[in-house]
Amino acid sequence: MEKNKTGKYLKYAIGEIILVMIGILLALQVNNWNETRKQKATLSDYTESLIKDLEQDTIILNEQIRFTNEDNRILENLIGRLSHPNANNDTLIKITRYELPSLYLYQRPLNTNTLLAIQSNGTLEYFDDKTYNYLIELQTIQNIKGTILNGQIEGHTIQYRAINSKYTIGEYKALSGPLTEEAWTNVDTDDLYRTVEGFIASRKWMNVKGGINRNEILTATEKVLNRLIAIQKDMTGKK
């Protein structure tokens, strides 16, 4: 009798243990499912936010590229006129007073808040390896090329202010009248020529290098953007 009772208790105890284990496994599975669902929702939200940021960045970059192309067209026109066989000091003075390009377009910052956020909160790890590497590569290019562009613009700004302190040009003109005309009549044209030549050469070089750097950022941006749009379509089931 005692053996039968002991056997029944063991079977009951084992059954209870099995039920508890099944319950624990089910709870873990439900928890994992909930975590996966939350992770997918978070990934979807950040993917949408990144897409919006990068779409705005492509607009900004294309605007700046168009600006530098147009600025170079203006500079080429000035170079052609100053290099013409009939060019003289009057040509130089007229261009300096009325036609030199104004202060350079500032470097409009790109939209990096979302990318910085997913790095700090760990969401970047949710992306697949290829997308993860694309995002890191984009951030690296943005940082390196952005630093170069800002340095070029800062250097040009210093040069522009230097030329403006000697020969008031562009929107900085404050005086007019006989005294102004006399000052320009007596200007040191040799110094003016060297100053203007350096200004135009520097600005043209900055436009060319700036165009290359911005195009590199744009290419990396479009690569990530296309990747994220494809991921978003997979998430939503859109074709």
Side-chain angles (χ1 to χ4, degrees), residues 15-25:
E16 287 291 312
I17 292 170
I18 291 173
L19 287 174
V20 170
M21 290 179 65
I22 291 173
I24 292 172
L25 289 172

Side-chain angles (χ1 to χ4, degrees), residues 1-229:
M1 288 289 289
E2 290 298 326
K3 285 185 177 180
N4 288 337
K5 286 183 179 180
T6 302
K8 287 180 180 179
Y9 286 135
L10 284 173
K11 289 179 182 178
Y12 176 78
I14 292 170
E16 287 291 312
I17 292 170
I18 291 173
L19 287 174
V20 170
M21 290 179 65
I22 291 173
I24 292 172
L25 289 172
L26 286 172
L28 287 172
Q29 188 173 4
V30 170
N31 184 63
N32 288 337
W33 179 83
N34 283 331
E35 287 299 317
T36 300
R37 183 176 58 82
K38 289 178 183 177
Q39 189 179 100
K40 286 182 178 179
T42 301
L43 186 61
S44 177
D45 289 342
Y46 277 115
T47 297
E48 183 177 355
S49 184
L50 281 168
I51 288 172
K52 289 179 180 178
D53 284 354
L54 297 179
E55 285 176 339
Q56 285 299 310
D57 287 348
T58 59
I59 293 172
I60 292 169
L61 290 164
N62 278 308
E63 284 178 351
Q64 293 177 336
I65 289 169
R66 282 194 295 272
F67 174 88
T68 54
N69 288 340
E70 175 61 19
D71 199 56
N72 260 347
R73 187 193 66 77
I74 293 171
L75 293 175
E76 288 295 339
N77 176 266
L78 297 182
I79 290 170
R81 288 166 58 195
L82 289 170
S83 302
H84 194 275
N86 294 330
N88 53 35
N89 288 335
D90 288 338
T91 309
L92 174 63
I93 291 172
K94 179 183 177 183
I95 286 174
T96 305
R97 291 184 69 179
Y98 305 113
E99 300 180 53
L100 278 186
S102 61
L103 192 60
Y104 199 75
L105 177 73
Y106 71 95
Q107 178 69 3
R108 185 175 170 185
L110 299 176
N111 298 282
T112 59
N113 288 341
T114 304
L115 183 52
L116 292 173
I118 64 176
Q119 280 186 308
S120 63
N121 63 24
T123 307
L124 184 59
E125 304 294 334
Y126 295 173
F127 288 93
D128 62 273
D129 289 344
K130 188 174 183 179
T131 307
Y132 176 95
N133 290 332
Y134 277 10
L135 287 166
I136 294 299
E137 179 186 22
L138 173 61
Q139 187 181 53
T140 301
I141 291 173
Q142 285 178 340
N143 289 338
I144 294 174
K145 301 302 180 181
T147 300
I148 293 172
L149 287 166
N150 286 330
Q152 289 172 340
I153 293 172
E154 183 179 350
H156 179 73
T157 301
I158 293 171
Q159 187 178 34
Y160 185 88
R161 287 171 179 164
I163 186 175
N164 193 62
S165 68
K166 294 174 67 176
Y167 310 103
T168 307
I169 58 176
E171 65 269 27
Y172 293 98
K173 291 192 291 289
L175 302 177
S176 61
L179 287 177
T180 299
E181 297 306 317
E182 184 179 351
W184 277 104
T185 300
N186 297 324
V187 73
D188 183 346
T189 52
D190 288 340
D191 179 73
L192 179 62
Y193 177 84
R194 289 191 296 270
T195 302
V196 171
E197 182 184 32
F199 174 84
I200 292 176
S202 172
R203 183 150 175 148
K204 185 179 178 184
W205 176 87
M206 182 179 62
N207 282 343
V208 172
K209 294 298 182 181
I212 293 171
N213 287 323
R214 289 190 182 91
N215 273 302
E216 287 186 24
I217 299 173
L218 180 61
T219 298
T221 300
E222 290 175 336
K223 183 168 74 170
V224 175
L225 180 58
N226 291 334
R227 177 74 179 172
L228 292 173
I229 290 173

